[in-house]
Amino acid sequence: MGQDAPSAHLLNRLVANPARTVMLGFAATIALGTLVLMTPFAAESRESTDALTALFTATSATCVTGLVTVDTGGHWSTFGELVILALIQIGGLGVMSVATLLVMLIGRRLSAPAGVLTGAEARSLTQRTPGQVLVGVLRFTLAVELVSAVVLAVRLRIAYHDGWGEAIYSGVFHSVSAFNNAGFGLLPDSAVQWAQDPWMCLPLMISVMVGGLGFPVWWELFKHWREPYRRWTIHATITIWGSVVLWVVGTLLFAVVEWDNERTLGPMGTGGKILAAAFQSVVARTAGFNSVDIGAVRQESLLLLDGLMFVGGGSAGTAGGIKVATFAILGFVIWAELRGEPTVRVLTRRLSPANLRQALTVALLGTGLVAASTGALLVLTPFRLDVVLFEAISAFGTVGMSTGITADIPPAGQLILVAMMFLGRLGPITLGAALALRNRPRRFEVPEERILVG
């Protein structure tokens, strides 16, 4: 207990005001990154980059989004690319570490009966010290990035005849970008030239999937690998199965809609079409790479990608969005209401009313942010609703996919996207933690009355 006291004290100070602590940390990182990217050393031309471009890029990298107003490989020097890579790594590790520590604190603070379910969900982490968790996150991150980087580098050397130095640099950059769900690439067309190459697309997809599920889920999988299914918590179960359903459904729908589109999947063979559809389904939550031209996909595909980007990935992972667990909870609420059941059950557990209110609040606030930013962008830009909505959801979900309009949006609109990336990255984490930790008991209650709904 004595050895854990300093780290426990640090954890309590960190989460005493989670919104302020996390936002200040990310804001300071973005500010420092902006200043460094503005220096002449960071640009390929050796000229200073304007403040808005530097701010947009630093925010996008730190918030692991991937939206860009300049070509990453063409505008930035090697030093600038390394700065971006460092911001991506700091942002990804920061999000996973802070979010995982918050999960620990929530599990420790909630008391029976209201918190018994959430406490049970986090029990595998609350038995650890903050130091053990942070070391675990770091080891896990570096291991996945190393394996992915080796595969990518070897493939780039053998199939694309890059020099070993260039292949290793590109492999490491894309591996870190993929695991942190950042979507930054060194090529102007992102991953389009690799669209039918499984040795390039599969490592990127697997890294995105692993990073997007979240560290608490992987901690559970490692702990109970001898008894899969039987000892998974509800959180791990709905996150894993929800992600699988979204990956499969997204792949099928994207393939069906784009199968004969000559500007996307049309010219590819059957295997290439399936691979490209699967790639777009996976990276839409929320990595931002693209192996087909997003500006050329059909309206139905844009709507599909809108939905996938808004849902996002797993809690305490590198992905954005409202999170799979939040989306799944809302689905269970609807199912219970349609069946006329008095409580919401998930498998063998009953969800608390507070948990349901938290999910509803996160989803509605996310919807409101997207609607407000879309309206503002419609006023400031000449673009259509569908592409503006796509851009707004991409920023909120920290996805980074674009129909190609980001660089043409006026400065005021780009500042809105900067704010959306920041809120989209930190909002669900801090809001979810703040709501879960908030506990204001009432000494009396007013009489109940029912309001007509529908």
Side-chain angles (χ1 to χ4, degrees), residues 120-121 123 217 220-241 347-349:
E121 304 293 2
R123 65 179 182 273
V217 171
E220 271 200 63
L221 294 182
F222 292 144
K223 186 177 179 182
H224 303 304
W225 67 275
R226 292 179 183 273
E227 299 177 290
Y229 307 112
R230 295 180 60 183
R231 301 189 65 181
W232 285 0
T233 61
I234 298 299
H235 171 75
T237 302
I238 64 175
T239 299
I240 292 171
W241 285 112
L347 301 178
T348 58
R349 294 289 188 274

Side-chain angles (χ1 to χ4, degrees), residues 286-300:
T286 58
F289 293 112
N290 61 282
S291 62
V292 298
D293 182 5
I294 298 300
V297 302
R298 290 171 170 152
Q299 297 282 309
E300 299 89 332

Side-chain angles (χ1 to χ4, degrees), residues 112-419:
V116 65
L117 180 59
T118 310
E121 304 293 2
R123 65 179 182 273
S124 60
L125 283 172
T126 53
Q127 296 169 355
R128 307 288 174 175
T129 67
Q132 288 175 320
V133 171
L134 292 177
V135 170
V137 170
L138 184 61
R139 286 179 176 174
F140 177 70
T141 299
L142 295 180
V144 176
E145 291 177 349
L146 177 62
V147 172
S148 177
V150 169
V151 176
L152 293 175
V154 171
R155 183 61 178 174
L156 287 169
R157 176 71 182 99
I158 294 175
Y160 297 90
H161 310 297
D162 291 352
W164 273 114
E166 183 182 1
I168 293 173
Y169 177 71
S170 182
V172 170
F173 189 97
H174 286 94
S175 171
V176 173
S177 181
F179 176 78
N180 291 291
N181 283 214
F184 274 85
L186 295 176
L187 301 176
D189 60 358
S190 188
V192 172
Q193 66 175 270
W194 305 327
Q196 302 184 69
D197 186 348
W199 289 99
M200 292 300 296
C201 289
L202 289 178
L204 293 175
M205 290 166 61
I206 293 172
S207 293
V208 170
M209 290 173 172
V210 172
L213 281 179
F215 185 71
V217 171
W218 285 106
W219 189 287
E220 271 200 63
L221 294 182
F222 292 144
K223 186 177 179 182
H224 303 304
W225 67 275
R226 292 179 183 273
E227 299 177 290
Y229 307 112
R230 295 180 60 183
R231 301 189 65 181
W232 285 0
T233 61
I234 298 299
H235 171 75
T237 302
I238 64 175
T239 299
I240 292 171
W241 285 112
S243 297
V244 171
V245 168
L246 290 173
W247 287 328
V248 173
V249 171
T251 300
L252 291 176
L253 292 179
F254 192 86
V256 167
V257 174
E258 297 295 327
W259 195 266
D260 60 349
N261 185 346
E262 290 300 321
R263 300 175 64 191
T264 56
L265 301 186
M268 301 180 186
T270 301
K273 290 179 180 180
I274 296 173
L275 178 63
F279 186 85
Q280 285 310 140
S281 175
V282 168
V283 299
R285 312 173 32 253
T286 58
F289 293 112
N290 61 282
S291 62
V292 298
D293 182 5
I294 298 300
V297 302
R298 290 171 170 152
Q299 297 282 309
E300 299 89 332
S301 297
L302 281 183
L303 183 59
L304 169 66
L305 296 176
D306 283 342
L308 293 175
M309 291 191 298
F310 188 75
V311 173
S315 302
T318 54
I322 62 170
K323 309 300 182 188
V324 174
T326 304
F327 180 70
I329 288 175
L330 296 179
F332 285 116
V333 170
I334 293 172
W335 181 244
E337 196 62 33
L338 290 176
R339 289 169 58 90
E341 296 178 346
T343 58
V344 179
R345 294 183 179 182
V346 180
L347 301 178
T348 58
R349 294 289 188 274
R350 173 170 51 86
L351 298 184
S352 70
N355 206 182
L356 305 181
R357 290 197 302 270
Q358 292 156 15
L360 190 62
T361 302
V362 169
L364 288 180
L365 285 178
T367 304
L369 277 174
V370 169
S373 60
T374 301
L377 289 174
L378 281 174
V379 173
L380 295 170
T381 69
F383 301 113
R384 303 190 314 266
L385 171 62
D386 54 348
V387 293
V388 167
L389 176 64
F390 189 89
E391 207 79 3
I393 296 179
S394 180
F396 170 75
T398 67
V399 179
M401 284 199 298
S402 173
T403 55
I405 67 171
T406 311
D408 299 322
I409 292 176
Q414 291 184 2
L415 287 175
I416 290 175
L417 292 181
V418 167

